[in-house]
Amino acid sequence: MPSHTTVRDYVLQQIDLRRARRDAAPRLLAMAGLTDFQRHEVTSLPGGNRRKLQILCALAHGPDVLLAPDTLRMPAPTLLNPYPKPLICDN
């Protein structure tokens, strides 16, 4: 990930590379829960948020299929949420 690049700029760069619509950026950031991090540098994000950023960039062009390891399908259970919902659904 590039240094001195904000999350918003990185998403826009990835959208441009994939020839997707730039107006998708706010929706993608909201979907990943990264709206509040738009002005943060990519390198300052915690590991989990960096992973979310990578996933949302992979979704930028609206692929029909996204292959991901099973570890992305279900978040780890916690005391507060022993039965978490899948991150990726077959809708």
Side-chain angles (χ1 to χ4, degrees):
M1 300 240 170
S3 60
H4 305 297
T5 301
T6 64
V7 169
R8 183 179 184 282
D9 289 342
Y10 183 74
V11 170
L12 290 174
Q13 289 171 2
Q14 294 299 311
I15 285 173
D16 290 345
L17 284 172
R18 290 167 172 78
R19 295 188 175 109
R21 295 179 52 153
R22 287 181 136 238
D23 60 355
R27 180 182 55 81
L28 290 167
L29 287 164
M31 184 173 65
L34 295 174
T35 303
D36 293 340
F37 295 93
Q38 289 185 69
R39 292 196 170 105
H40 288 89
E41 288 187 11
V42 172
T43 54
S44 73
L45 292 177
N49 284 344
R50 276 194 215 177
R51 188 69 182 137
K52 286 183 190 178
L53 182 61
Q54 292 169 337
I55 293 168
L56 84 85
C57 289
L59 296 171
H61 67 289
D64 292 330
V65 175
L66 178 66
L67 301 176
D70 276 347
T71 55
L72 291 178
R73 186 151 177 81
M74 277 299 245
T78 65
L79 286 174
L80 297 176
N81 190 8
Y83 303 104
K85 294 179 183 175
L87 293 175
I88 302 170
C89 300
D90 299 326
N91 295 339

